[in-house]
PDB file of all heavy atoms in Angstrom:
ATOM      1  N   LEU B 413    -100.149  40.128 -26.586  1.00 76.00           N
ATOM      2  CA  LEU B 413     -99.585  41.178 -27.422  1.00 76.00           C
ATOM      3  C   LEU B 413     -99.652  40.779 -28.890  1.00 76.00           C
ATOM      4  O   LEU B 413     -99.999  41.587 -29.752  1.00 76.00           O
ATOM      5  CB  LEU B 413     -98.118  41.390 -27.011  1.00 76.00           C
ATOM      6  CG  LEU B 413     -97.537  42.728 -27.409  1.00 76.00           C
ATOM      7  CD1 LEU B 413     -98.193  43.836 -26.607  1.00 76.00           C
ATOM      8  CD2 LEU B 413     -96.024  42.719 -27.198  1.00 76.00           C
ATOM      9  N   LEU B 471     -95.379  49.255 -37.252  1.00 77.00           N
ATOM     10  CA  LEU B 471     -95.501  48.666 -35.929  1.00 77.00           C
ATOM     11  C   LEU B 471     -95.604  47.151 -36.024  1.00 77.00           C
ATOM     12  O   LEU B 471     -94.984  46.396 -35.273  1.00 77.00           O
ATOM     13  CB  LEU B 471     -96.759  49.232 -35.258  1.00 77.00           C
ATOM     14  CG  LEU B 471     -96.750  49.257 -33.746  1.00 77.00           C
ATOM     15  CD1 LEU B 471     -95.595  50.087 -33.234  1.00 77.00           C
ATOM     16  CD2 LEU B 471     -98.070  49.849 -33.262  1.00 77.00           C
ATOM     17  N   LEU B 472     -96.390  46.698 -36.996  1.00 77.00           N
ATOM     18  CA  LEU B 472     -96.571  45.264 -37.198  1.00 77.00           C
ATOM     19  C   LEU B 472     -95.250  44.595 -37.570  1.00 77.00           C
ATOM     20  O   LEU B 472     -94.906  43.523 -37.100  1.00 77.00           O
ATOM     21  CB  LEU B 472     -97.578  45.016 -38.324  1.00 77.00           C
ATOM     22  CG  LEU B 472     -99.027  45.002 -37.871  1.00 77.00           C
ATOM     23  CD1 LEU B 472     -99.923  44.840 -39.086  1.00 77.00           C
ATOM     24  CD2 LEU B 472     -99.262  43.867 -36.897  1.00 77.00           C
ATOM     25  N   GLU B 473     -94.508  45.321 -38.431  1.00 78.00           N
ATOM     26  CA  GLU B 473     -93.214  44.810 -38.868  1.00 78.00           C
ATOM     27  C   GLU B 473     -92.308  44.604 -37.646  1.00 78.00           C
ATOM     28  O   GLU B 473     -91.669  43.567 -37.506  1.00 78.00           O
ATOM     29  CB  GLU B 473     -92.580  45.837 -39.813  1.00 78.00           C
ATOM     30  CG  GLU B 473     -91.201  45.479 -40.325  1.00 78.00           C
ATOM     31  CD  GLU B 473     -91.264  44.710 -41.625  1.00 78.00           C
ATOM     32  OE1 GLU B 473     -92.370  44.440 -42.110  1.00 78.00           O
ATOM     33  OE2 GLU B 473     -90.188  44.360 -42.140  1.00 78.00           O
ATOM     34  N   LEU B 474     -92.355  45.608 -36.769  1.00 78.00           N
ATOM     35  CA  LEU B 474     -91.519  45.555 -35.575  1.00 78.00           C
ATOM     36  C   LEU B 474     -91.863  44.329 -34.727  1.00 78.00           C
ATOM     37  O   LEU B 474     -90.993  43.587 -34.282  1.00 78.00           O
ATOM     38  CB  LEU B 474     -91.728  46.835 -34.762  1.00 78.00           C
ATOM     39  CG  LEU B 474     -90.835  47.022 -33.549  1.00 78.00           C
ATOM     40  CD1 LEU B 474     -89.392  47.123 -33.962  1.00 78.00           C
ATOM     41  CD2 LEU B 474     -91.250  48.296 -32.800  1.00 78.00           C
ATOM     42  N   SER B 475     -93.176  44.081 -34.545  1.00 76.00           N
ATOM     43  CA  SER B 475     -93.561  42.956 -33.695  1.00 76.00           C
ATOM     44  C   SER B 475     -93.271  41.641 -34.406  1.00 76.00           C
ATOM     45  O   SER B 475     -92.913  40.646 -33.789  1.00 76.00           O
ATOM     46  CB  SER B 475     -95.037  43.056 -33.313  1.00 76.00           C
ATOM     47  OG  SER B 475     -95.848  42.471 -34.306  1.00 76.00           O
ATOM     48  N   ARG B 476     -93.391  41.673 -35.717  1.00 77.00           N
ATOM     49  CA  ARG B 476     -93.125  40.459 -36.495  1.00 77.00           C
ATOM     50  C   ARG B 476     -91.642  40.053 -36.361  1.00 77.00           C
ATOM     51  O   ARG B 476     -91.307  38.874 -36.236  1.00 77.00           O
ATOM     52  CB  ARG B 476     -93.464  40.693 -37.967  1.00 77.00           C
ATOM     53  CG  ARG B 476     -94.066  39.482 -38.660  1.00 77.00           C
ATOM     54  CD  ARG B 476     -94.828  39.945 -39.886  1.00 77.00           C
ATOM     55  NE  ARG B 476     -93.950  40.615 -40.815  1.00 77.00           N
ATOM     56  CZ  ARG B 476     -93.265  39.971 -41.762  1.00 77.00           C
ATOM     57  NH1 ARG B 476     -93.371  38.684 -41.886  1.00 77.00           N
ATOM     58  NH2 ARG B 476     -92.472  40.630 -42.572  1.00 77.00           N
ATOM     59  N   ILE B 477     -90.797  41.094 -36.376  1.00 79.00           N
ATOM     60  CA  ILE B 477     -89.356  40.840 -36.290  1.00 79.00           C
ATOM     61  C   ILE B 477     -89.008  40.146 -34.986  1.00 79.00           C
ATOM     62  O   ILE B 477     -88.153  39.281 -34.920  1.00 79.00           O
ATOM     63  CB  ILE B 477     -88.591  42.174 -36.442  1.00 79.00           C
ATOM     64  CG1 ILE B 477     -88.526  42.532 -37.911  1.00 79.00           C
ATOM     65  CG2 ILE B 477     -87.199  42.090 -35.845  1.00 79.00           C
ATOM     66  CD1 ILE B 477     -88.259  43.975 -38.146  1.00 79.00           C
ATOM     67  N   SER B 478     -89.724  40.518 -33.917  1.00 76.00           N
ATOM     68  CA  SER B 478     -89.438  39.906 -32.623  1.00 76.00           C
ATOM     69  C   SER B 478     -89.899  38.470 -32.585  1.00 76.00           C
ATOM     70  O   SER B 478     -89.411  37.681 -31.791  1.00 76.00           O
ATOM     71  CB  SER B 478     -90.137  40.677 -31.519  1.00 76.00           C
ATOM     72  OG  SER B 478     -89.897  42.046 -31.687  1.00 76.00           O
ATOM     73  N   ARG B 479     -90.843  38.085 -33.428  1.00 74.00           N
ATOM     74  CA  ARG B 479     -91.444  36.770 -33.295  1.00 74.00           C
ATOM     75  C   ARG B 479     -90.927  35.724 -34.285  1.00 74.00           C
ATOM     76  O   ARG B 479     -90.932  34.537 -33.981  1.00 74.00           O
ATOM     77  CB  ARG B 479     -92.971  36.880 -33.427  1.00 74.00           C
ATOM     78  CG  ARG B 479     -93.629  37.442 -32.179  1.00 74.00           C
ATOM     79  CD  ARG B 479     -95.112  37.530 -32.331  1.00 74.00           C
ATOM     80  NE  ARG B 479     -95.527  38.624 -33.223  1.00 74.00           N
ATOM     81  CZ  ARG B 479     -96.308  38.452 -34.273  1.00 74.00           C
ATOM     82  NH1 ARG B 479     -96.768  37.263 -34.564  1.00 74.00           N
ATOM     83  NH2 ARG B 479     -96.637  39.478 -35.027  1.00 74.00           N
ATOM     84  N   MET B 482     -85.325  32.578 -36.434  1.00 82.00           N
ATOM     85  CA  MET B 482     -84.140  32.976 -37.194  1.00 82.00           C
ATOM     86  C   MET B 482     -83.595  31.786 -37.956  1.00 82.00           C
ATOM     87  O   MET B 482     -83.555  30.659 -37.455  1.00 82.00           O
ATOM     88  CB  MET B 482     -83.052  33.480 -36.242  1.00 82.00           C
ATOM     89  CG  MET B 482     -83.523  34.575 -35.322  1.00 82.00           C
ATOM     90  SD  MET B 482     -82.659  36.104 -35.604  1.00 82.00           S
ATOM     91  CE  MET B 482     -81.040  35.674 -35.101  1.00 82.00           C
ATOM     92  N   LEU B 525     -83.971  39.155 -42.064  1.00 89.00           N
ATOM     93  CA  LEU B 525     -83.928  40.207 -41.034  1.00 89.00           C
ATOM     94  C   LEU B 525     -82.825  41.218 -41.343  1.00 89.00           C
ATOM     95  O   LEU B 525     -83.032  42.440 -41.223  1.00 89.00           O
ATOM     96  CB  LEU B 525     -83.698  39.591 -39.658  1.00 89.00           C
ATOM     97  CG  LEU B 525     -84.865  38.773 -39.101  1.00 89.00           C
ATOM     98  CD1 LEU B 525     -84.518  38.221 -37.734  1.00 89.00           C
ATOM     99  CD2 LEU B 525     -86.136  39.615 -39.019  1.00 89.00           C
ATOM    100  N   ALA B 529     -82.965  45.306 -41.804  1.00 91.00           N
ATOM    101  CA  ALA B 529     -82.136  46.245 -41.050  1.00 91.00           C
ATOM    102  C   ALA B 529     -81.379  47.170 -41.992  1.00 91.00           C
ATOM    103  O   ALA B 529     -81.374  48.398 -41.820  1.00 91.00           O
ATOM    104  CB  ALA B 529     -81.153  45.476 -40.167  1.00 91.00           C
ATOM    105  N   PHE B 586     -83.148  55.130 -30.868  1.00 83.00           N
ATOM    106  CA  PHE B 586     -83.623  53.790 -31.213  1.00 83.00           C
ATOM    107  C   PHE B 586     -84.967  53.453 -30.583  1.00 83.00           C
ATOM    108  O   PHE B 586     -85.393  52.320 -30.584  1.00 83.00           O
ATOM    109  CB  PHE B 586     -82.574  52.745 -30.777  1.00 83.00           C
ATOM    110  CG  PHE B 586     -81.263  52.938 -31.502  1.00 83.00           C
ATOM    111  CD1 PHE B 586     -80.157  53.486 -30.872  1.00 83.00           C
ATOM    112  CD2 PHE B 586     -81.164  52.565 -32.855  1.00 83.00           C
ATOM    113  CE1 PHE B 586     -78.973  53.662 -31.536  1.00 83.00           C
ATOM    114  CE2 PHE B 586     -79.962  52.747 -33.514  1.00 83.00           C
ATOM    115  CZ  PHE B 586     -78.858  53.296 -32.870  1.00 83.00           C
ATOM    116  N   MET B 587     -85.659  54.477 -29.992  1.00 79.00           N
ATOM    117  CA  MET B 587     -86.954  54.211 -29.380  1.00 79.00           C
ATOM    118  C   MET B 587     -88.058  54.409 -30.398  1.00 79.00           C
ATOM    119  O   MET B 587     -88.015  55.297 -31.225  1.00 79.00           O
ATOM    120  CB  MET B 587     -87.159  55.144 -28.172  1.00 79.00           C
ATOM    121  CG  MET B 587     -86.260  54.754 -27.014  1.00 79.00           C
ATOM    122  SD  MET B 587     -86.168  56.056 -25.808  1.00 79.00           S
ATOM    123  CE  MET B 587     -87.710  55.815 -24.951  1.00 79.00           C
ATOM    124  N   ALA B 588     -89.062  53.495 -30.319  1.00 72.00           N
ATOM    125  CA  ALA B 588     -90.150  53.558 -31.282  1.00 72.00           C
ATOM    126  C   ALA B 588     -90.908  54.875 -31.162  1.00 72.00           C
ATOM    127  O   ALA B 588     -91.111  55.377 -30.052  1.00 72.00           O
ATOM    128  CB  ALA B 588     -91.107  52.386 -31.053  1.00 72.00           C
ATOM    129  N   ILE B 603     -90.100  54.365 -36.424  1.00 80.00           N
ATOM    130  CA  ILE B 603     -89.991  52.974 -35.975  1.00 80.00           C
ATOM    131  C   ILE B 603     -88.793  52.277 -36.617  1.00 80.00           C
ATOM    132  O   ILE B 603     -88.289  51.273 -36.115  1.00 80.00           O
ATOM    133  CB  ILE B 603     -91.308  52.221 -36.298  1.00 80.00           C
ATOM    134  CG1 ILE B 603     -92.405  52.793 -35.405  1.00 80.00           C
ATOM    135  CG2 ILE B 603     -91.192  50.740 -36.061  1.00 80.00           C
ATOM    136  CD1 ILE B 603     -93.766  52.289 -35.746  1.00 80.00           C
ATOM    137  N   GLY B 604     -88.290  52.847 -37.715  1.00 84.00           N
ATOM    138  CA  GLY B 604     -87.212  52.207 -38.494  1.00 84.00           C
ATOM    139  C   GLY B 604     -86.023  51.810 -37.655  1.00 84.00           C
ATOM    140  O   GLY B 604     -85.613  50.642 -37.674  1.00 84.00           O
ATOM    141  N   LEU B 605     -85.454  52.760 -36.866  1.00 87.00           N
ATOM    142  CA  LEU B 605     -84.248  52.445 -36.108  1.00 87.00           C
ATOM    143  C   LEU B 605     -84.551  51.484 -34.962  1.00 87.00           C
ATOM    144  O   LEU B 605     -83.715  50.667 -34.599  1.00 87.00           O
ATOM    145  CB  LEU B 605     -83.599  53.726 -35.574  1.00 87.00           C
ATOM    146  CG  LEU B 605     -82.801  54.500 -36.633  1.00 87.00           C
ATOM    147  CD1 LEU B 605     -82.247  55.784 -36.043  1.00 87.00           C
ATOM    148  CD2 LEU B 605     -81.683  53.638 -37.205  1.00 87.00           C
ATOM    149  N   ALA B 606     -85.805  51.567 -34.407  1.00 86.00           N
ATOM    150  CA  ALA B 606     -86.188  50.596 -33.376  1.00 86.00           C
ATOM    151  C   ALA B 606     -86.177  49.187 -33.966  1.00 86.00           C
ATOM    152  O   ALA B 606     -85.718  48.228 -33.338  1.00 86.00           O
ATOM    153  CB  ALA B 606     -87.569  50.930 -32.844  1.00 86.00           C
ATOM    154  N   THR B 607     -86.658  49.090 -35.209  1.00 87.00           N
ATOM    155  CA  THR B 607     -86.645  47.799 -35.901  1.00 87.00           C
ATOM    156  C   THR B 607     -85.210  47.307 -36.079  1.00 87.00           C
ATOM    157  O   THR B 607     -84.890  46.140 -35.820  1.00 87.00           O
ATOM    158  CB  THR B 607     -87.320  47.939 -37.281  1.00 87.00           C
ATOM    159  OG1 THR B 607     -88.611  48.509 -37.082  1.00 87.00           O
ATOM    160  CG2 THR B 607     -87.431  46.613 -37.981  1.00 87.00           C
ATOM    161  N   VAL B 608     -84.341  48.243 -36.555  1.00 90.00           N
ATOM    162  CA  VAL B 608     -82.944  47.857 -36.791  1.00 90.00           C
ATOM    163  C   VAL B 608     -82.335  47.344 -35.500  1.00 90.00           C
ATOM    164  O   VAL B 608     -81.690  46.289 -35.462  1.00 90.00           O
ATOM    165  CB  VAL B 608     -82.131  49.057 -37.326  1.00 90.00           C
ATOM    166  CG1 VAL B 608     -80.644  48.700 -37.389  1.00 90.00           C
ATOM    167  CG2 VAL B 608     -82.638  49.487 -38.677  1.00 90.00           C
ATOM    168  N   GLN B 609     -82.575  48.096 -34.399  1.00 89.00           N
ATOM    169  CA  GLN B 609     -81.973  47.705 -33.127  1.00 89.00           C
ATOM    170  C   GLN B 609     -82.457  46.314 -32.698  1.00 89.00           C
ATOM    171  O   GLN B 609     -81.687  45.481 -32.234  1.00 89.00           O
ATOM    172  CB  GLN B 609     -82.317  48.720 -32.040  1.00 89.00           C
ATOM    173  CG  GLN B 609     -81.488  48.502 -30.792  1.00 89.00           C
ATOM    174  CD  GLN B 609     -81.940  49.385 -29.641  1.00 89.00           C
ATOM    175  OE1 GLN B 609     -83.137  49.581 -29.440  1.00 89.00           O
ATOM    176  NE2 GLN B 609     -80.988  49.933 -28.934  1.00 89.00           N
ATOM    177  N   ARG B 610     -83.751  46.083 -32.909  1.00 88.00           N
ATOM    178  CA  ARG B 610     -84.277  44.786 -32.497  1.00 88.00           C
ATOM    179  C   ARG B 610     -83.638  43.664 -33.316  1.00 88.00           C
ATOM    180  O   ARG B 610     -83.298  42.606 -32.786  1.00 88.00           O
ATOM    181  CB  ARG B 610     -85.791  44.768 -32.661  1.00 88.00           C
ATOM    182  CG  ARG B 610     -86.377  43.614 -31.895  1.00 88.00           C
ATOM    183  CD  ARG B 610     -87.809  43.817 -31.585  1.00 88.00           C
ATOM    184  NE  ARG B 610     -88.010  44.878 -30.609  1.00 88.00           N
ATOM    185  CZ  ARG B 610     -89.213  45.179 -30.104  1.00 88.00           C
ATOM    186  NH1 ARG B 610     -90.273  44.504 -30.491  1.00 88.00           N
ATOM    187  NH2 ARG B 610     -89.348  46.152 -29.235  1.00 88.00           N
ATOM    188  N   ILE B 611     -83.432  43.885 -34.595  1.00 89.00           N
ATOM    189  CA  ILE B 611     -82.796  42.858 -35.442  1.00 89.00           C
ATOM    190  C   ILE B 611     -81.366  42.607 -34.983  1.00 89.00           C
ATOM    191  O   ILE B 611     -80.922  41.458 -34.843  1.00 89.00           O
ATOM    192  CB  ILE B 611     -82.815  43.297 -36.927  1.00 89.00           C
ATOM    193  CG1 ILE B 611     -84.250  43.247 -37.456  1.00 89.00           C
ATOM    194  CG2 ILE B 611     -81.898  42.405 -37.762  1.00 89.00           C
ATOM    195  CD1 ILE B 611     -84.433  43.819 -38.830  1.00 89.00           C
ATOM    196  N   ILE B 612     -80.638  43.692 -34.693  1.00 89.00           N
ATOM    197  CA  ILE B 612     -79.248  43.531 -34.240  1.00 89.00           C
ATOM    198  C   ILE B 612     -79.214  42.795 -32.908  1.00 89.00           C
ATOM    199  O   ILE B 612     -78.404  41.893 -32.698  1.00 89.00           O
ATOM    200  CB  ILE B 612     -78.554  44.920 -34.103  1.00 89.00           C
ATOM    201  CG1 ILE B 612     -78.546  45.656 -35.450  1.00 89.00           C
ATOM    202  CG2 ILE B 612     -77.129  44.757 -33.570  1.00 89.00           C
ATOM    203  CD1 ILE B 612     -77.824  44.972 -36.578  1.00 89.00           C
ATOM    204  N   HIS B 613     -80.157  43.144 -32.025  1.00 87.00           N
ATOM    205  CA  HIS B 613     -80.209  42.457 -30.729  1.00 87.00           C
ATOM    206  C   HIS B 613     -80.502  40.975 -30.895  1.00 87.00           C
ATOM    207  O   HIS B 613     -79.953  40.145 -30.200  1.00 87.00           O
ATOM    208  CB  HIS B 613     -81.273  43.107 -29.830  1.00 87.00           C
ATOM    209  CG  HIS B 613     -80.797  44.404 -29.231  1.00 87.00           C
ATOM    210  ND1 HIS B 613     -81.616  45.204 -28.474  1.00 87.00           N
ATOM    211  CD2 HIS B 613     -79.602  45.030 -29.299  1.00 87.00           C
ATOM    212  CE1 HIS B 613     -80.947  46.287 -28.099  1.00 87.00           C
ATOM    213  NE2 HIS B 613     -79.706  46.198 -28.605  1.00 87.00           N
ATOM    214  N   ARG B 614     -81.375  40.668 -31.847  1.00 86.00           N
ATOM    215  CA  ARG B 614     -81.696  39.262 -32.069  1.00 86.00           C
ATOM    216  C   ARG B 614     -80.471  38.495 -32.579  1.00 86.00           C
ATOM    217  O   ARG B 614     -80.402  37.279 -32.469  1.00 86.00           O
ATOM    218  CB  ARG B 614     -82.855  39.109 -33.063  1.00 86.00           C
ATOM    219  CG  ARG B 614     -84.172  39.492 -32.450  1.00 86.00           C
ATOM    220  CD  ARG B 614     -85.326  38.741 -33.051  1.00 86.00           C
ATOM    221  NE  ARG B 614     -85.325  37.343 -32.682  1.00 86.00           N
ATOM    222  CZ  ARG B 614     -86.145  36.445 -33.208  1.00 86.00           C
ATOM    223  NH1 ARG B 614     -86.994  36.799 -34.157  1.00 86.00           N
ATOM    224  NH2 ARG B 614     -86.110  35.194 -32.818  1.00 86.00           N
ATOM    225  N   HIS B 615     -79.517  39.225 -33.166  1.00 87.00           N
ATOM    226  CA  HIS B 615     -78.268  38.598 -33.602  1.00 87.00           C
ATOM    227  C   HIS B 615     -77.204  38.692 -32.511  1.00 87.00           C
ATOM    228  O   HIS B 615     -76.019  38.525 -32.789  1.00 87.00           O
ATOM    229  CB  HIS B 615     -77.742  39.252 -34.885  1.00 87.00           C
ATOM    230  CG  HIS B 615     -78.484  38.816 -36.114  1.00 87.00           C
ATOM    231  ND1 HIS B 615     -79.667  39.408 -36.505  1.00 87.00           N
ATOM    232  CD2 HIS B 615     -78.234  37.839 -37.012  1.00 87.00           C
ATOM    233  CE1 HIS B 615     -80.097  38.830 -37.604  1.00 87.00           C
ATOM    234  NE2 HIS B 615     -79.247  37.863 -37.942  1.00 87.00           N
ATOM    235  N   SER B 616     -77.636  38.996 -31.281  1.00 85.00           N
ATOM    236  CA  SER B 616     -76.727  39.147 -30.135  1.00 85.00           C
ATOM    237  C   SER B 616     -75.696  40.241 -30.392  1.00 85.00           C
ATOM    238  O   SER B 616     -74.570  40.173 -29.918  1.00 85.00           O
ATOM    239  CB  SER B 616     -76.000  37.830 -29.822  1.00 85.00           C
ATOM    240  OG  SER B 616     -76.890  36.772 -29.792  1.00 85.00           O
ATOM    241  N   GLY B 617     -76.073  41.245 -31.160  1.00 86.00           N
ATOM    242  CA  GLY B 617     -75.145  42.338 -31.466  1.00 86.00           C
ATOM    243  C   GLY B 617     -75.594  43.633 -30.801  1.00 86.00           C
ATOM    244  O   GLY B 617     -76.577  43.667 -30.062  1.00 86.00           O
ATOM    245  N   ILE B 619     -75.856  48.095 -31.473  1.00 89.00           N
ATOM    246  CA  ILE B 619     -75.833  49.187 -32.473  1.00 89.00           C
ATOM    247  C   ILE B 619     -75.732  50.511 -31.725  1.00 89.00           C
ATOM    248  O   ILE B 619     -76.324  50.676 -30.652  1.00 89.00           O
ATOM    249  CB  ILE B 619     -77.093  49.123 -33.378  1.00 89.00           C
ATOM    250  CG1 ILE B 619     -77.013  50.229 -34.439  1.00 89.00           C
ATOM    251  CG2 ILE B 619     -78.394  49.182 -32.590  1.00 89.00           C
ATOM    252  CD1 ILE B 619     -77.947  50.006 -35.612  1.00 89.00           C
TER     253      ILE B 619
END
Side-chain angles (χ1 to χ4, degrees):
Chain B
L413 201 68
L471 206 59
L472 274 176
E473 178 91 359
L474 186 63
S475 86
R476 216 159 61 88
I477 280 160
S478 312
R479 284 180 286 126
M482 306 243 294
L525 291 180
F586 298 105
M587 289 165 79
I603 292 172
L605 282 177
T607 306
V608 172
Q609 192 187 40
R610 196 158 291 185
I611 290 172
I612 300 299
H613 283 175
R614 287 209 70 188
H615 283 84
S616 313
I619 182 162

